[in-house]
Amino acid sequence: MPLGLVLTLGLLIGVAMSYPMALRLFTVGRTDMTGWQSALLFAAAPLAAAWRMVVLRPLYLYAMATCHRVNRWGTRSAVEVDLAVRGEPAGAP
């Protein structure tokens, strides 16, 4: 299967799946939005779906793939200061 076809189908499926996920936004009537604003929200759903698939999904997958490195997220490799030296009180110089 050509890569262009796979990408096109993936985009179409992602957009189609975004509508059921956002169904509550379209079915619940809101008093603070006019009909025009609701239609604009409905029309912007494919853009939100594309953003989710192109930007947010790869970030999510990267985070899942690198979560095993959580202990190396800090900037230091070792602790420089200890709370207390053995045999001395914590406040001693």
Side-chain angles (χ1 to χ4, degrees), residues 25-63:
L25 295 174
F26 306 132
T27 57
V28 175
R30 295 183 53 171
T31 59
D32 61 339
M33 288 179 66
T34 64
W36 176 251
Q37 291 171 330
S38 297
L40 188 61
L41 179 67
F42 186 77
L47 295 175
W51 175 258
R52 194 176 123 243
M53 287 186 313
V54 172
V55 176
L56 298 180
R57 181 61 58 180
L59 285 174
Y60 172 77
L61 294 174
Y62 175 76

Side-chain angles (χ1 to χ4, degrees), residues 10-29:
L11 184 66
L12 288 175
I13 290 170
V15 169
M17 290 304 296
S18 292
Y19 278 105
M21 289 169 45
L23 188 60
R24 66 180 177 85
L25 295 174
F26 306 132
T27 57
V28 175

Side-chain angles (χ1 to χ4, degrees), residues 54-78:
V54 172
V55 176
L56 298 180
R57 181 61 58 180
L59 285 174
Y60 172 77
L61 294 174
Y62 175 76
M64 294 281 290
T66 60
C67 70
H68 68 282
R69 299 185 309 185
V70 71
N71 62 341
R72 293 185 297 225
W73 284 356
T75 58
R76 296 190 170 103
S77 60

